[in-house]
Amino acid sequence: MTFHFPERFVSAMTRDTLALILAGGRGSRLGGLTTERAKPAVPFGGNMRIIDFPLSNCVNSGVRRIGVLTQYKAHSLIRHLNLGWGFMRGELGEFVELLPAQQRTNGGWYSGTADAVYQNIDIIHAHDPRFVLVLGGDHIYKMDYGALLATHVDRQADVTVACMEVPLAEANAFGVMEIDADGRVCGFEEKPARPREIPTKPGHALASMGIYVFTADYLLEALQRDSLDAASEHDFGKDILPRAVLQDRVYAAPFRDPKTGARAYWRDVGTLDSYWSANMELIGVVPELDLFDTQWPIRTHQIQAPPAKFVFDDEGRRGMAVDSMVANGCIISGALVRHSVLFSQVRVEESAAVTDSVVLPRAVIGPNCRIHNTVIETGCQLARGTVIGFNPEQDRSRFEVSPGGVILVTPEMLQQSLDYIR
Amino acid sequence: MQIRSTQDSDPGNSQEQRLVIRQPSMGSARRWNIWAQQAAAGKQPCFASEVRFNCRELDCPWRAECLDLRAEWQR
């Protein structure tokens, strides 16, 4: 296969790319946050959901043909996509298309990441892309996929894998790669018990970010072959990539800050601890992930609500939030919010104190509550005087407590009935 | 002028903040100015253009800004 670089290089590549976002996973390590929704639909950063990051990256990169593969408890995700991502112009060849498991190739659900794509093979054919960009729907980062596509074309690769260096101790959670001096991948192992070190950087391993560019014809062939393999788990990391590394041209594209060359921001908010700390990081004066950056905006759907309101300014009865992010529709009434993220339409009532916490939409923190180091799920109503985050034993008996000491409170734990969509 | 975001600015320096807000890092005037300089130097006016990801000119004075993370529809 020959490649050439036309004058309109980047836009030609991005226009001929179909992005497929794998958004069917539950993300069970997030516990109660994903009992009623898929991980990509989990709220993040005050007014977004996790899936807004790969979607915004696509649009900002000029990739405007996007399929979102859904499966587990997808309703809130689908609703979010309908409300916030329906702006593409179909008549101009742009779309965000929902691709739920619908038994197109057999009678089953998506049985692995590769199977999820394989089950939509006729749809991929119909869109006739030159490149297929496979993305996870559950990571927080800002990336120009144009750079990744450029690497892919430049190297005349069959597959290009975005990667980053991670400490060896964390590497067993990822696909770990070995590369030669030219950046060609010569070894790939999914979640290895003993990850291989980067020879030039002891103590670190090269981890796959689960972001792949495939030349479309190559992908379709590889998926067909994999579907016939009874021993395969039909997973990109476990089956498609290890096989491709042995036989085909697989290249690594390190994910770095394009300006500084340093490792770029990327978070897998897969556990309650990492979810809480990624939200807390946003509060910093100059956070690593800058949501106020207008050059690379993260788009979302926001509820229509008035600006946040802080009422009462009497001594001992002052409504205030400091060192915090407070979304629209919130009312802080004679209460203190410190170093916390409040999503839309949260109420914090008289004399309550919320510190180091993440409060999801429509939660109500009743009068005299004291909440610390806690994630409060959407719609929870905390009764007057509730205290959370000060007595670990008591918290463990009522709520979910992470290894790092973050407490998760859901309506179920409060015996409150669910009458809304999360 | 040094390019700084409003977040990076010293909060006490309101004059600089106003300047930053009025003068975004890559307005059309700046792009055209750089292109003119590139053309005058006998080079392709390629700044922030389609070929940026394959650029091998490591000593280009505009390289960092050219490759900066910026939405395609803002380039």
Side-chain angles (χ1 to χ4, degrees), chain A residues 98-121:
Chain A
L98 285 165
L99 302 172
Q102 46 186 320
Q103 305 186 342
R104 299 180 74 85
T105 54
N106 55 38
W109 291 90
Y110 294 152
S111 63
T113 51
D115 182 57
V117 177
Y118 172 71
Q119 288 201 31
N120 292 288
I121 205 162

PDB file of all heavy atoms in Angstrom, chain A residues 98-121:
ATOM      1  N   LEU A  98     -25.317   6.255  17.353  1.00  0.00           N
ATOM      2  CA  LEU A  98     -25.341   5.267  18.434  1.00  0.00           C
ATOM      3  C   LEU A  98     -25.294   3.870  17.849  1.00  0.00           C
ATOM      4  O   LEU A  98     -26.058   3.563  16.927  1.00  0.00           O
ATOM      5  CB  LEU A  98     -26.623   5.440  19.245  1.00  0.00           C
ATOM      6  CG  LEU A  98     -26.620   6.656  20.165  1.00  0.00           C
ATOM      7  CD1 LEU A  98     -28.021   6.968  20.632  1.00  0.00           C
ATOM      8  CD2 LEU A  98     -25.712   6.410  21.338  1.00  0.00           C
ATOM      9  N   LEU A  99     -24.420   3.047  18.385  1.00  0.00           N
ATOM     10  CA  LEU A  99     -24.293   1.675  17.894  1.00  0.00           C
ATOM     11  C   LEU A  99     -24.466   0.702  19.062  1.00  0.00           C
ATOM     12  O   LEU A  99     -23.500   0.156  19.594  1.00  0.00           O
ATOM     13  CB  LEU A  99     -22.923   1.475  17.233  1.00  0.00           C
ATOM     14  CG  LEU A  99     -22.604   2.413  16.059  1.00  0.00           C
ATOM     15  CD1 LEU A  99     -21.162   2.252  15.612  1.00  0.00           C
ATOM     16  CD2 LEU A  99     -23.546   2.137  14.895  1.00  0.00           C
ATOM     17  N   PRO A 100     -25.711   0.493  19.503  1.00  0.00           N
ATOM     18  CA  PRO A 100     -25.925  -0.450  20.602  1.00  0.00           C
ATOM     19  C   PRO A 100     -25.748  -1.880  20.116  1.00  0.00           C
ATOM     20  O   PRO A 100     -25.815  -2.136  18.914  1.00  0.00           O
ATOM     21  CB  PRO A 100     -27.386  -0.193  20.984  1.00  0.00           C
ATOM     22  CG  PRO A 100     -28.021   0.338  19.757  1.00  0.00           C
ATOM     23  CD  PRO A 100     -26.953   1.063  18.988  1.00  0.00           C
ATOM     24  N   ALA A 101     -25.514  -2.801  21.066  1.00  0.00           N
ATOM     25  CA  ALA A 101     -25.468  -4.222  20.701  1.00  0.00           C
ATOM     26  C   ALA A 101     -26.848  -4.577  20.167  1.00  0.00           C
ATOM     27  O   ALA A 101     -27.856  -4.399  20.856  1.00  0.00           O
ATOM     28  CB  ALA A 101     -25.131  -5.052  21.928  1.00  0.00           C
ATOM     29  N   GLN A 102     -26.930  -5.000  18.917  1.00  0.00           N
ATOM     30  CA  GLN A 102     -28.255  -5.260  18.328  1.00  0.00           C
ATOM     31  C   GLN A 102     -28.272  -6.569  17.526  1.00  0.00           C
ATOM     32  O   GLN A 102     -29.059  -6.704  16.591  1.00  0.00           O
ATOM     33  CB  GLN A 102     -28.697  -4.074  17.479  1.00  0.00           C
ATOM     34  CG  GLN A 102     -27.617  -3.553  16.543  1.00  0.00           C
ATOM     35  CD  GLN A 102     -28.034  -2.292  15.806  1.00  0.00           C
ATOM     36  OE1 GLN A 102     -29.173  -2.181  15.379  1.00  0.00           O
ATOM     37  NE2 GLN A 102     -27.124  -1.350  15.657  1.00  0.00           N
ATOM     38  N   GLN A 103     -27.361  -7.473  17.858  1.00  0.00           N
ATOM     39  CA  GLN A 103     -27.361  -8.812  17.282  1.00  0.00           C
ATOM     40  C   GLN A 103     -27.307  -8.781  15.755  1.00  0.00           C
ATOM     41  O   GLN A 103     -28.043  -9.478  15.079  1.00  0.00           O
ATOM     42  CB  GLN A 103     -28.588  -9.582  17.766  1.00  0.00           C
ATOM     43  CG  GLN A 103     -28.661  -9.610  19.283  1.00  0.00           C
ATOM     44  CD  GLN A 103     -29.786 -10.483  19.816  1.00  0.00           C
ATOM     45  OE1 GLN A 103     -30.709 -10.818  19.100  1.00  0.00           O
ATOM     46  NE2 GLN A 103     -29.696 -10.820  21.084  1.00  0.00           N
ATOM     47  N   ARG A 104     -26.401  -7.954  15.229  1.00  0.00           N
ATOM     48  CA  ARG A 104     -26.295  -7.809  13.772  1.00  0.00           C
ATOM     49  C   ARG A 104     -25.561  -8.981  13.123  1.00  0.00           C
ATOM     50  O   ARG A 104     -25.800  -9.285  11.967  1.00  0.00           O
ATOM     51  CB  ARG A 104     -25.565  -6.507  13.423  1.00  0.00           C
ATOM     52  CG  ARG A 104     -26.264  -5.272  13.926  1.00  0.00           C
ATOM     53  CD  ARG A 104     -25.483  -4.028  13.539  1.00  0.00           C
ATOM     54  NE  ARG A 104     -25.614  -3.723  12.127  1.00  0.00           N
ATOM     55  CZ  ARG A 104     -26.615  -3.034  11.604  1.00  0.00           C
ATOM     56  NH1 ARG A 104     -27.573  -2.592  12.390  1.00  0.00           N
ATOM     57  NH2 ARG A 104     -26.664  -2.793  10.319  1.00  0.00           N
ATOM     58  N   THR A 105     -24.647  -9.607  13.893  1.00  0.00           N
ATOM     59  CA  THR A 105     -23.871 -10.695  13.283  1.00  0.00           C
ATOM     60  C   THR A 105     -24.169 -12.041  13.941  1.00  0.00           C
ATOM     61  O   THR A 105     -23.891 -13.071  13.374  1.00  0.00           O
ATOM     62  CB  THR A 105     -22.356 -10.430  13.408  1.00  0.00           C
ATOM     63  OG1 THR A 105     -22.055 -10.207  14.779  1.00  0.00           O
ATOM     64  CG2 THR A 105     -21.929  -9.232  12.586  1.00  0.00           C
ATOM     65  N   ASN A 106     -24.676 -12.017  15.163  1.00  0.00           N
ATOM     66  CA  ASN A 106     -25.046 -13.266  15.831  1.00  0.00           C
ATOM     67  C   ASN A 106     -26.090 -12.921  16.887  1.00  0.00           C
ATOM     68  O   ASN A 106     -26.593 -11.804  16.923  1.00  0.00           O
ATOM     69  CB  ASN A 106     -23.816 -13.933  16.473  1.00  0.00           C
ATOM     70  CG  ASN A 106     -23.098 -12.994  17.432  1.00  0.00           C
ATOM     71  OD1 ASN A 106     -23.743 -12.228  18.145  1.00  0.00           O
ATOM     72  ND2 ASN A 106     -21.777 -13.045  17.452  1.00  0.00           N
ATOM     73  N   GLY A 107     -26.379 -13.875  17.747  1.00  0.00           N
ATOM     74  CA  GLY A 107     -27.448 -13.637  18.717  1.00  0.00           C
ATOM     75  C   GLY A 107     -26.983 -13.071  20.033  1.00  0.00           C
ATOM     76  O   GLY A 107     -27.755 -13.003  20.985  1.00  0.00           O
ATOM     77  N   GLY A 108     -25.713 -12.646  20.114  1.00  0.00           N
ATOM     78  CA  GLY A 108     -25.188 -12.291  21.431  1.00  0.00           C
ATOM     79  C   GLY A 108     -24.958 -10.813  21.656  1.00  0.00           C
ATOM     80  O   GLY A 108     -25.087  -9.991  20.757  1.00  0.00           O
ATOM     81  N   TRP A 109     -24.594 -10.511  22.900  1.00  0.00           N
ATOM     82  CA  TRP A 109     -24.147  -9.172  23.262  1.00  0.00           C
ATOM     83  C   TRP A 109     -22.727  -8.987  22.752  1.00  0.00           C
ATOM     84  O   TRP A 109     -22.110  -9.946  22.288  1.00  0.00           O
ATOM     85  CB  TRP A 109     -24.143  -9.025  24.788  1.00  0.00           C
ATOM     86  CG  TRP A 109     -25.488  -9.021  25.414  1.00  0.00           C
ATOM     87  CD1 TRP A 109     -26.165 -10.115  25.865  1.00  0.00           C
ATOM     88  CD2 TRP A 109     -26.307  -7.888  25.672  1.00  0.00           C
ATOM     89  NE1 TRP A 109     -27.358  -9.724  26.392  1.00  0.00           N
ATOM     90  CE2 TRP A 109     -27.479  -8.361  26.286  1.00  0.00           C
ATOM     91  CE3 TRP A 109     -26.175  -6.521  25.447  1.00  0.00           C
ATOM     92  CZ2 TRP A 109     -28.505  -7.519  26.676  1.00  0.00           C
ATOM     93  CZ3 TRP A 109     -27.198  -5.679  25.847  1.00  0.00           C
ATOM     94  CH2 TRP A 109     -28.341  -6.176  26.443  1.00  0.00           C
ATOM     95  N   TYR A 110     -22.198  -7.789  22.915  1.00  0.00           N
ATOM     96  CA  TYR A 110     -20.788  -7.586  22.610  1.00  0.00           C
ATOM     97  C   TYR A 110     -19.980  -8.408  23.609  1.00  0.00           C
ATOM     98  O   TYR A 110     -20.113  -8.228  24.823  1.00  0.00           O
ATOM     99  CB  TYR A 110     -20.392  -6.113  22.769  1.00  0.00           C
ATOM    100  CG  TYR A 110     -21.038  -5.162  21.777  1.00  0.00           C
ATOM    101  CD1 TYR A 110     -21.264  -3.826  22.124  1.00  0.00           C
ATOM    102  CD2 TYR A 110     -21.381  -5.563  20.494  1.00  0.00           C
ATOM    103  CE1 TYR A 110     -21.823  -2.931  21.227  1.00  0.00           C
ATOM    104  CE2 TYR A 110     -21.948  -4.674  19.590  1.00  0.00           C
ATOM    105  CZ  TYR A 110     -22.169  -3.358  19.967  1.00  0.00           C
ATOM    106  OH  TYR A 110     -22.728  -2.480  19.088  1.00  0.00           O
ATOM    107  N   SER A 111     -19.135  -9.309  23.102  1.00  0.00           N
ATOM    108  CA  SER A 111     -18.419 -10.186  24.037  1.00  0.00           C
ATOM    109  C   SER A 111     -16.989  -9.713  24.292  1.00  0.00           C
ATOM    110  O   SER A 111     -16.273 -10.304  25.076  1.00  0.00           O
ATOM    111  CB  SER A 111     -18.413 -11.620  23.507  1.00  0.00           C
ATOM    112  OG  SER A 111     -17.718 -11.672  22.288  1.00  0.00           O
ATOM    113  N   GLY A 112     -16.551  -8.679  23.628  1.00  0.00           N
ATOM    114  CA  GLY A 112     -15.208  -8.119  23.843  1.00  0.00           C
ATOM    115  C   GLY A 112     -15.105  -6.854  23.001  1.00  0.00           C
ATOM    116  O   GLY A 112     -15.993  -6.575  22.184  1.00  0.00           O
ATOM    117  N   THR A 113     -14.028  -6.122  23.197  1.00  0.00           N
ATOM    118  CA  THR A 113     -13.919  -4.845  22.468  1.00  0.00           C
ATOM    119  C   THR A 113     -13.852  -5.070  20.950  1.00  0.00           C
ATOM    120  O   THR A 113     -14.484  -4.336  20.172  1.00  0.00           O
ATOM    121  CB  THR A 113     -12.666  -4.085  22.928  1.00  0.00           C
ATOM    122  OG1 THR A 113     -11.532  -4.965  22.855  1.00  0.00           O
ATOM    123  CG2 THR A 113     -12.819  -3.574  24.348  1.00  0.00           C
ATOM    124  N   ALA A 114     -13.116  -6.112  20.540  1.00  0.00           N
ATOM    125  CA  ALA A 114     -13.018  -6.372  19.099  1.00  0.00           C
ATOM    126  C   ALA A 114     -14.349  -6.890  18.562  1.00  0.00           C
ATOM    127  O   ALA A 114     -14.755  -6.547  17.445  1.00  0.00           O
ATOM    128  CB  ALA A 114     -11.898  -7.371  18.829  1.00  0.00           C
ATOM    129  N   ASP A 115     -15.034  -7.699  19.372  1.00  0.00           N
ATOM    130  CA  ASP A 115     -16.341  -8.210  18.937  1.00  0.00           C
ATOM    131  C   ASP A 115     -17.344  -7.071  18.785  1.00  0.00           C
ATOM    132  O   ASP A 115     -18.187  -7.086  17.879  1.00  0.00           O
ATOM    133  CB  ASP A 115     -16.868  -9.235  19.945  1.00  0.00           C
ATOM    134  CG  ASP A 115     -18.196  -9.822  19.509  1.00  0.00           C
ATOM    135  OD1 ASP A 115     -18.251 -10.377  18.393  1.00  0.00           O
ATOM    136  OD2 ASP A 115     -19.186  -9.699  20.253  1.00  0.00           O
ATOM    137  N   ALA A 116     -17.251  -6.077  19.671  1.00  0.00           N
ATOM    138  CA  ALA A 116     -18.154  -4.926  19.576  1.00  0.00           C
ATOM    139  C   ALA A 116     -17.994  -4.230  18.217  1.00  0.00           C
ATOM    140  O   ALA A 116     -18.982  -3.873  17.567  1.00  0.00           O
ATOM    141  CB  ALA A 116     -17.876  -3.948  20.713  1.00  0.00           C
ATOM    142  N   VAL A 117     -16.759  -4.070  17.792  1.00  0.00           N
ATOM    143  CA  VAL A 117     -16.523  -3.434  16.489  1.00  0.00           C
ATOM    144  C   VAL A 117     -16.929  -4.387  15.364  1.00  0.00           C
ATOM    145  O   VAL A 117     -17.578  -3.984  14.393  1.00  0.00           O
ATOM    146  CB  VAL A 117     -15.050  -2.995  16.357  1.00  0.00           C
ATOM    147  CG1 VAL A 117     -14.777  -2.400  14.983  1.00  0.00           C
ATOM    148  CG2 VAL A 117     -14.699  -1.970  17.440  1.00  0.00           C
ATOM    149  N   TYR A 118     -16.601  -5.675  15.543  1.00  0.00           N
ATOM    150  CA  TYR A 118     -16.939  -6.660  14.502  1.00  0.00           C
ATOM    151  C   TYR A 118     -18.448  -6.707  14.255  1.00  0.00           C
ATOM    152  O   TYR A 118     -18.897  -6.801  13.109  1.00  0.00           O
ATOM    153  CB  TYR A 118     -16.424  -8.041  14.921  1.00  0.00           C
ATOM    154  CG  TYR A 118     -16.892  -9.144  14.000  1.00  0.00           C
ATOM    155  CD1 TYR A 118     -16.383  -9.240  12.704  1.00  0.00           C
ATOM    156  CD2 TYR A 118     -17.868 -10.055  14.408  1.00  0.00           C
ATOM    157  CE1 TYR A 118     -16.829 -10.235  11.843  1.00  0.00           C
ATOM    158  CE2 TYR A 118     -18.317 -11.048  13.553  1.00  0.00           C
ATOM    159  CZ  TYR A 118     -17.798 -11.132  12.275  1.00  0.00           C
ATOM    160  OH  TYR A 118     -18.250 -12.107  11.418  1.00  0.00           O
ATOM    161  N   GLN A 119     -19.234  -6.621  15.327  1.00  0.00           N
ATOM    162  CA  GLN A 119     -20.688  -6.697  15.162  1.00  0.00           C
ATOM    163  C   GLN A 119     -21.248  -5.516  14.374  1.00  0.00           C
ATOM    164  O   GLN A 119     -22.409  -5.526  13.970  1.00  0.00           O
ATOM    165  CB  GLN A 119     -21.372  -6.808  16.525  1.00  0.00           C
ATOM    166  CG  GLN A 119     -21.176  -8.164  17.177  1.00  0.00           C
ATOM    167  CD  GLN A 119     -22.225  -8.460  18.231  1.00  0.00           C
ATOM    168  OE1 GLN A 119     -23.361  -8.018  18.138  1.00  0.00           O
ATOM    169  NE2 GLN A 119     -21.847  -9.222  19.248  1.00  0.00           N
ATOM    170  N   ASN A 120     -20.440  -4.491  14.174  1.00  0.00           N
ATOM    171  CA  ASN A 120     -20.874  -3.332  13.379  1.00  0.00           C
ATOM    172  C   ASN A 120     -20.113  -3.241  12.062  1.00  0.00           C
ATOM    173  O   ASN A 120     -20.028  -2.165  11.460  1.00  0.00           O
ATOM    174  CB  ASN A 120     -20.667  -2.050  14.202  1.00  0.00           C
ATOM    175  CG  ASN A 120     -21.613  -2.002  15.381  1.00  0.00           C
ATOM    176  OD1 ASN A 120     -22.808  -1.789  15.216  1.00  0.00           O
ATOM    177  ND2 ASN A 120     -21.088  -2.250  16.578  1.00  0.00           N
ATOM    178  N   ILE A 121     -19.610  -4.342  11.609  1.00  0.00           N
ATOM    179  CA  ILE A 121     -18.716  -4.345  10.456  1.00  0.00           C
ATOM    180  C   ILE A 121     -19.433  -3.850   9.194  1.00  0.00           C
ATOM    181  O   ILE A 121     -18.847  -3.167   8.360  1.00  0.00           O
ATOM    182  CB  ILE A 121     -18.098  -5.760  10.281  1.00  0.00           C
ATOM    183  CG1 ILE A 121     -16.765  -5.676   9.548  1.00  0.00           C
ATOM    184  CG2 ILE A 121     -19.046  -6.738   9.621  1.00  0.00           C
ATOM    185  CD1 ILE A 121     -15.895  -6.921   9.718  1.00  0.00           C
TER     186      ILE A 121
END
